Amino acid sequence: MKHIRRPNLRSLLRRSHLRSDQTVGDAPRVLILTPVKDAADSLEEYFRLLFALTYPHRLLSLGMLESDSGDDTFAALTRGLPVLRKEFRRAGLWKRDFGLSLPPGVHRALPEIQLERRTVLAMSRNHLLFHALDDEDWVLWLDVDLIDYPPDLIERLLATGRDIVQPHCVLTPGGPTFDQNGWRDRGRLHLDELRDEGDLVRLDTVGGTVLLVRADAHRDGLVFPAFPYGHANPKIRDDTPEIETEGFGIMADDLGYRCWGMPNLEVIHRNE
């Protein structure tokens, strides 16, 4: 059996980048949200990257929702909460099971299970959002299974000034797009095909691996559809409504918001 390393949050706290001389001023408050399932073997890397963020930690809040895990993800996160609450502005952990369990040997990317899987993921995102969002100015959706991203990720996303923006999720630097839920032109163009357009490009939909959203957009009703959405929107693919993060992009368009991507700001996902 593969050995699973548990997150040593107290060790991370000792190595934290939080310093008393970090400038806060009028910088916005950011809520980082992460739905997790069977994530015990990802937590150490997740928190290593999180603690390395250069954005002032006193302006960062954390919210995590654990669902349907077969490992001790929830127990590990529960044990770490006191440390997280000491390091960040606040931290919350919730549990909600949706009854989604994949048979042994079935990969989560199998096309036949995507409607059910992404319906549950959309519900988990919304459940977490409604519990965790308080007075923050921005929400950063952050997957648990990333293995690398720049420490100034938040600063670079905020610097775009856009209401909804995502970086480029790949498996290897300069490689093809991994999170293909962010696209343009009815799914024909992804970020790896838009690198030559510059550092900031328009998208019709977004992926949720890393996604920065102005909190007021969520407060205005922008959520992740847990049902096929967009029958009346001309940007859907082949007149097929979208779901979850792609449905989010179409809903954003209907609400008057625009989605953007950063082809040259790469975050690295674990190779599944």
Side-chain angles (χ1 to χ4, degrees), residues 223-261:
V223 295
F224 299 89
F227 47 84
Y229 178 87
H231 287 277
N233 193 297
K235 292 179 180 176
I236 61 176
R237 295 172 294 185
D238 302 321
D239 298 320
T240 302
E242 305 293 347
I243 197 169
E244 207 237 333
T245 60
E246 290 158 303
F248 173 96
I250 301 302
M251 183 181 290
D253 187 73
D254 288 342
L255 286 170
Y257 290 98
R258 300 292 175 260
C259 298
W260 298 83

Side-chain angles (χ1 to χ4, degrees), residues 171-182:
L171 294 180
T172 57
T177 300
F178 176 72
D179 185 348
Q180 297 199 352
N181 295 334

